Amino acid sequence: MRVMILYASLGMGHISAANALSQAFSCFPGIEVLSEDALAYASSVYRNAVIQAYKNSSEKVPQLYKALYEGSDISDLERSLDSNLAWAKLELPFFRRLGRLIRETAPDSIVCVQQIPSRLLQLLEPEDQVSKPQYVVVTDLIAHSTWLNYGVDGYFLPNDLSANILKQRGVNPSLIHITGIPVKLEISKPKSKAEVRSRHHLPQDLSVVTLFGGGLNSRRVYAIVSSLLETLSSAMIVVVAGRNEDLLDTLTDLTDSPHVRLRKLSTIDYVDDLIVASDLIITKAGGLITSEILARGTPTIIVDPIPGQEEQNADVITAAGAGVQLRLLEMVAPAVKYLLNHPERLTQMRQSALELGKPRAALNIAEHILSDWRSRTKMLQPSKI
């Protein structure tokens, strides 16, 4: 069986989900996995325009992005399907190479973890051919109507709330599967906090607070970290800059305080270890990073979510009791201090996070698609007399 996973490189979340699914499918014998960025097969004009539009609207004019995001969420099923099809017709001339890729590789199943390739699949197959099974993996905690398309054989959703929203909109319940957002497979394996702290030279006798600053404004991170250094009585703060190239330069003059140790990191390859090692994490509300944190049961403080899907992600997490969302930066340090001084509250948040997290999501999605493929293949085999 050959599986094609399609994503669009608008943010790291979709790439991470595609990688997790690739890992999961590769665990099964006889499976060939192809993972492709749909934007790599678009014209440079379209690709550059879409990437810049997403970056500029979400980072520079977030309220405009929120208005566009919420305004395009259509509750009527037929209207949303027709709207997404209309968008696909406008985009198709820029994606001729994507159609060739699918014809040449001839996958047995196609899995989309982003909206653009999913809606394009409605038009890539000639009308007189039988379409390959197509699946959609929603990578936000709430499913927006732009995920819905004609010809989809299954929707894999993060939680009951998203499933209920799609059912209320008229999506066939038999197409809806609650699996969680696919996270890397190592998260499904137990790890000891003491072990990972020892591995990365983190203190065993201090609370560890990690701030993932990849998608945050550098000056706002500076304000948070400086306040934590002044407010906490005993802890280690770990700041991970990730793709935020300016962050470490901004934090240059911040060092250990008398009672708080500070570690500044750029890009790391042990995010999961750090999540396990941490007592509390400060982050934005991207679908993938929050799913990884929830799957490990680590309490979260959410700051500066992008208006739109990240605000919805934050709402889901806070409503479940797995984290808190703070709008005022001045409240971050007091909130961290309160939580570290009330371990029973952190314990409750950990339990809520574990109830919401789905560490086996990628494997569950792969198992379902493989089972579906086997059933289809068996139906196509000639019966024996």
Side-chain angles (χ1 to χ4, degrees):
M1 180 186 179
R2 178 177 292 170
V3 178
M4 169 75 77
I5 300 171
L6 292 175
Y7 61 94
S9 50
L10 297 173
M12 288 301 299
H14 305 296
I15 300 173
S16 298
N19 290 339
L21 287 171
S22 295
Q23 285 183 328
F25 279 110
S26 297
C27 292
F28 299 90
I31 306 299
E32 180 184 359
V33 185
L34 307 172
S35 183
E36 298 287 345
D37 178 5
L39 291 181
Y41 295 87
S43 71
S44 59
V45 172
Y46 177 92
R47 181 172 59 251
N48 294 336
V50 168
I51 291 173
Q52 286 303 313
Y54 174 79
K55 184 178 180 65
N56 290 338
S57 61
S58 61
E59 296 181 7
K60 297 182 180 180
V61 281
Q63 292 307 316
L64 173 61
Y65 179 84
K66 178 178 181 178
L68 293 171
Y69 184 84
E70 295 180 351
S72 61
D73 192 16
I74 303 170
S75 58
D76 180 78
L77 178 61
E78 293 301 323
R79 283 184 56 222
S80 62
L81 291 171
D82 290 341
S83 174
N84 295 337
L85 182 60
W87 273 108
K89 290 178 179 178
L90 292 173
E91 293 168 321
L92 184 61
F94 301 101
F95 280 90
R96 297 300 183 187
R97 290 193 297 139
L98 181 61
R100 288 200 299 271
L101 170 72
I102 294 175
R103 287 193 297 272
E104 291 169 0
T105 56
D108 296 293
S109 293
I110 304 174
V111 186
C112 295
V113 296
Q114 207 274 343
Q115 297 99 313
I116 292 174
S118 176
R119 60 179 176 246
L120 285 169
L121 290 181
Q122 302 172 92
L123 302 173
L124 293 180
E125 291 278 357
E127 292 182 357
D128 58 348
Q129 288 187 5
V130 177
S131 296
K132 304 295 183 183
Q134 301 166 15
Y135 304 92
V136 169
V137 178
V138 177
T139 55
D140 297 311
L141 293 180
I142 299 294
H144 192 276
S145 66
T146 50
W147 289 98
L148 304 177
N149 291 300
Y150 291 110
V152 174
D153 294 273
Y155 293 96
F156 297 97
L157 300 170
N159 49 51
D160 292 322
L161 179 58
S162 273
N164 291 335
I165 289 173
L166 293 196
K167 290 175 184 177
Q168 291 170 4
R169 292 183 174 185
V171 175
N172 186 341
S174 67
L175 301 180
I176 295 174
H177 313 284
I178 303 169
T179 56
I181 295 174
V183 294
K184 50 198 169 196
L185 301 190
E186 69 171 301
I187 296 176
S188 63
K189 301 174 183 177
K191 291 181 180 179
S192 160
K193 178 178 287 190
E195 177 189 349
V196 294
R197 285 194 179 189
S198 176
R199 184 184 308 151
H200 300 290
H201 310 291
L202 295 167
Q204 302 286 354
D205 57 343
L206 294 178
S207 297
V208 175
V209 179
T210 295
L211 189 155
F212 289 115
L216 295 171
N217 178 279
S218 297
R219 299 308 304 176
R220 291 174 69 79
V221 173
Y222 182 97
I224 293 172
V225 175
S226 59
S227 181
L228 288 170
L229 291 169
E230 295 172 0
T231 304
L232 301 183
S233 56
S234 178
M236 167 170 262
I237 303 168
V238 180
V239 180
V240 182
R243 60 187 174 90
N244 190 342
E245 299 176 355
D246 301 327
L247 181 54
L248 294 186
D249 289 338
T250 303
L251 301 180
T252 299
D253 66 329
L254 292 182
T255 58
D256 296 356
S257 70
H259 304 289
V260 181
R261 295 165 61 182
L262 175 62
R263 181 178 296 180
K264 296 173 280 189
L265 305 171
S266 55
T267 302
I268 61 173
D269 59 0
Y270 54 92
V271 168
D272 183 56
D273 279 5
L274 195 51
I275 290 172
V276 174
S278 300
D279 296 287
L280 189 61
I281 289 175
I282 304 169
T283 183
K284 288 180 63 183
L288 261 294
I289 185 62
T290 53
S291 294
E292 293 178 2
I293 295 168
L294 291 170
R296 282 300 187 186
T298 305
T300 309
I301 290 180
I302 297 170
V303 295
D304 290 353
I306 294 174
Q309 70 266 38
E310 286 195 5
E311 285 185 337
Q312 294 177 350
N313 294 344
D315 285 344
V316 172
I317 293 166
T318 53
V324 294
Q325 179 182 356
L326 299 175
R327 298 180 183 275
L328 292 175
L329 293 186
E330 293 80 4
M331 293 303 300
V332 174
V336 171
K337 182 178 180 179
Y338 173 85
L339 291 171
L340 295 181
N341 289 338
H342 292 80
E344 72 285 355
R345 180 71 180 97
L346 283 177
T347 299
Q348 293 172 351
M349 293 173 71
R350 289 191 194 98
Q351 185 58 42
S352 297
L354 289 171
E355 291 173 1
L356 199 58
K358 300 285 194 301
R360 277 185 50 87
L363 287 169
N364 291 340
I365 293 168
E367 288 171 352
H368 181 95
I369 291 174
L370 293 177
S371 176
D372 193 15
W373 177 76
R374 293 189 188 103
S375 298
R376 291 169 182 268
T377 305
K378 187 175 182 179
M379 290 174 59
L380 293 174
Q381 292 177 346
S383 58
K384 297 181 180 180
I385 300 177

